[in-house]
Amino acid sequence: MTDASINASTVHQGDAEFGDYFALLKPRVMSLVVFTALVGLLAAPVGVHPVIGFSAILFIAIGGGASGALNMWWDADIDQVMKRTKSRPIPAGKVEPGEALSLGLALSGLSVIMLALATNVFAGAFLAFTIFFYVVIYTMWLKRATPQNIVIGGAAGAFPPVIGWIAATGSMAVEPWLMFALTFMWTPPHFWALALFMRSDYDDAGVPMLTVTHGRRSTRKHILIYTALLALLAVGTAFSGVGGPIYLMVALVLNALFLHGAWKISRRDEDDSEADNFKVERSFFKLSLLYLFLHFGAILAEAVLKPYGLGGW
């Protein structure tokens, strides 16, 4: 038996199960899409019928999942060499690339059409643009072309609250773009912290992450700069239409912690990081997950309490 046949027999381990197809949709990322879109929808200054609201979030989630499937289809080659992604359905041999492509395209069309029918055409068109941006602009182009991949490509993950707002109102406003900016500015320090202790993955895959092209020292400085700008934006959002005293308290505490973490990262050298297995960087990354969730949770709390005179200024 040849090496090729041995590899083939070990990679294709049987028919794919439902869980394998669901994993293509990147459920962790989808959960963030659902939550931020829900906050955008509920923070809008108009009431939304529960059935319409549920439908909007469902189809936005499906659109997010479709983007994930198309991303995995295109990135199957680099996913196979990265420790963090090699167990994904395609590199693990559980799902064929063509199946992922078909699923992604089908769900993209379904989500866009159904969101337009359930809410308004503007929301459907914006969801279509978001899927295009994530799959074509980020995945197919920026990710392998520039160390600014995460900076520019982060817009794709920041669009859901805008889509939720548009689904509710059918129009634009400043407030959803503040929520967009919050996620957009959060994305670089979040992913760069991950890249600091996962650099070998990006080296092996040939992905020009900032840690690869400019080194860890430069990446640490970038994290501090972006975190400082993010803190100004986050605290300033407290005085907008989606802010209030609850949000302000959350923002002040979280951004103080986030800035402190970024400062500690900026002061670290590689010997210190290697010695404790990037303990500070890993802690900052975990805090970044809580950071975004609690900011949007505070916006949601302000929106829910506002009709009772308890939220907002």
Side-chain angles (χ1 to χ4, degrees):
M1 182 179 287
T2 65
D3 290 341
S5 60
I6 291 174
N7 290 336
S9 64
T10 56
V11 171
H12 298 287
Q13 301 172 353
D15 294 334
E17 299 178 354
F18 173 79
D20 298 321
Y21 291 110
F22 184 67
L24 283 175
L25 309 183
K26 293 190 174 182
R28 289 183 181 179
V29 177
M30 189 192 297
S31 64
L32 178 62
V33 168
V34 168
F35 182 59
T36 58
L38 177 64
V39 173
L41 185 141
L42 294 179
V46 296
V48 178
H49 191 281
V51 174
I52 295 177
F54 174 80
S55 299
I57 299 304
L58 173 63
F59 297 129
I60 293 172
I62 292 174
S67 299
L70 293 172
N71 171 269
M72 287 200 192
W73 161 70
W74 184 263
D75 278 349
D77 59 331
I78 61 175
D79 283 349
Q80 193 168 13
V81 300
M82 295 176 68
K83 295 177 182 178
R84 187 171 62 89
T85 58
K86 65 181 181 180
S87 61
R88 285 176 173 176
I90 298 176
K94 297 177 180 179
V95 176
E96 293 292 332
E99 293 179 304
L101 174 61
S102 298
L103 179 65
L105 291 175
L107 292 181
S108 295
L110 173 68
S111 62
V112 168
I113 293 171
M114 293 306 296
L115 181 63
L117 293 174
T119 59
N120 56 76
V121 174
F122 191 14
F126 209 91
L127 177 60
F129 171 75
T130 301
I131 295 172
F132 172 82
F133 191 97
Y134 182 72
V135 175
V136 178
I137 304 299
Y138 170 66
T139 301
M140 295 183 177
W141 176 31
L142 294 174
K143 186 172 184 177
R144 307 191 195 199
T146 171
Q148 296 300 309
N149 46 20
I150 286 300
V151 177
I152 305 171
F159 284 131
V162 180
I163 302 173
W165 184 285
I166 294 173
T169 66
S171 61
M172 291 286 194
V174 173
E175 288 81 5
W177 288 108
L178 287 173
M179 289 185 274
F180 166 91
L182 190 64
T183 307
F184 181 78
M185 292 298 295
W186 162 87
T187 302
H190 167 72
F191 275 102
W192 284 335
L194 173 66
L196 283 173
F197 58 85
M198 296 292 290
R199 176 181 169 175
S200 60
D201 263 11
Y202 297 107
D203 275 327
D204 296 342
V207 176
M209 190 64 76
L210 193 65
T211 48
V212 177
T213 61
H214 290 66
R216 286 175 175 162
R217 179 76 263 154
S218 177
T219 302
R220 294 174 187 280
K221 293 178 181 178
H222 277 74
I223 288 175
L224 179 59
I225 293 170
Y226 270 82
T227 301
L229 294 174
L230 172 62
L232 291 174
L233 171 69
V235 174
T237 299
F239 304 100
S240 71
V242 294
I246 298 173
Y247 175 89
L248 179 59
M249 288 188 292
V250 170
L252 288 173
V253 172
L254 282 175
N255 284 280
L257 293 173
F258 215 44
L259 278 168
H260 179 64
W263 173 254
K264 288 172 64 177
I265 286 177
S266 72
R267 306 300 295 175
R268 301 259 285 175
D269 60 37
E270 297 316 306
D271 290 337
D272 292 336
S273 298
E274 295 285 354
D276 63 10
N277 193 27
F278 295 91
K279 181 179 179 180
V280 173
E281 293 80 359
R282 293 177 187 273
S283 177
F284 182 86
F285 176 75
K286 292 178 181 178
L287 176 61
S288 72
L289 297 173
L290 190 64
Y291 178 97
L292 196 67
F293 174 78
L294 290 180
H295 273 83
F296 273 86
I299 293 174
L300 179 60
E302 296 285 2
V304 171
L305 294 174
K306 190 172 293 185
Y308 305 99
L310 300 174
W313 296 107

